[in-house]
Amino acid sequence: MAESEKSKPPESPTTARELDFDDEHHEHTASPAQPQVDDSSKPEFVEDAAPPKPPRPAKPNPVKQAENTLKEAFPSTDIAVIKAVLRASGGNVEPAFNALLGLVHRLNVRN
């Protein structure tokens, strides 16, 4: 270092000494002073209780949903017939719909 640089006061604790890249520990290692924080002036963090979750809507019964779908499509058909056709089609709406469509068509042709 030059003479003019040695006489200047250090700018900060990190520039007060030259950097030492050795892995050896030295007795006179300077570390920046940690400021003391007064925790008593900080407001305490009070965790609010989480609001209750809204109730989940009940899952519709797939059989009831299929019955309702078919009842909407065939309002004049008795619900017992719709249930029987739906049961015969294994609970599948599409084949039950096709069977009811054929049934209603045949009933309407006769009348």
Side-chain angles (χ1 to χ4, degrees):
M1 282 187 164
E3 285 294 322
S4 62
E5 290 179 11
K6 285 185 180 181
S7 62
K8 290 183 182 179
E11 294 176 15
S12 71
T14 56
T15 59
R17 60 182 173 79
E18 290 187 29
L19 297 175
D20 184 13
F21 294 107
D22 291 336
D23 289 337
E24 298 174 12
H25 297 287
H26 298 286
E27 291 179 20
H28 301 292
T29 57
S31 63
Q34 296 293 326
Q36 295 294 326
V37 178
D38 183 18
D39 289 339
S40 63
S41 64
K42 291 183 180 178
E44 289 187 30
F45 178 73
V46 178
E47 186 174 330
D48 293 333
K53 293 181 180 180
R56 290 185 179 180
K59 284 188 176 182
N61 183 349
V63 174
K64 275 290 191 196
Q65 192 174 13
E67 289 173 7
N68 291 338
T69 301
L70 294 172
K71 186 63 179 169
E72 286 178 25
F74 303 98
S76 61
T77 305
D78 188 31
I79 191 67
V81 174
I82 290 174
K83 286 181 180 182
V85 171
L86 186 60
R87 192 175 315 119
S89 65
N92 295 321
V93 175
E94 190 174 344
F97 183 87
N98 291 333
L100 286 168
L101 189 60
L103 179 66
V104 169
H105 178 70
R106 278 183 252 135
L107 289 173
N108 286 336
V109 170
R110 285 187 191 171
N111 293 331

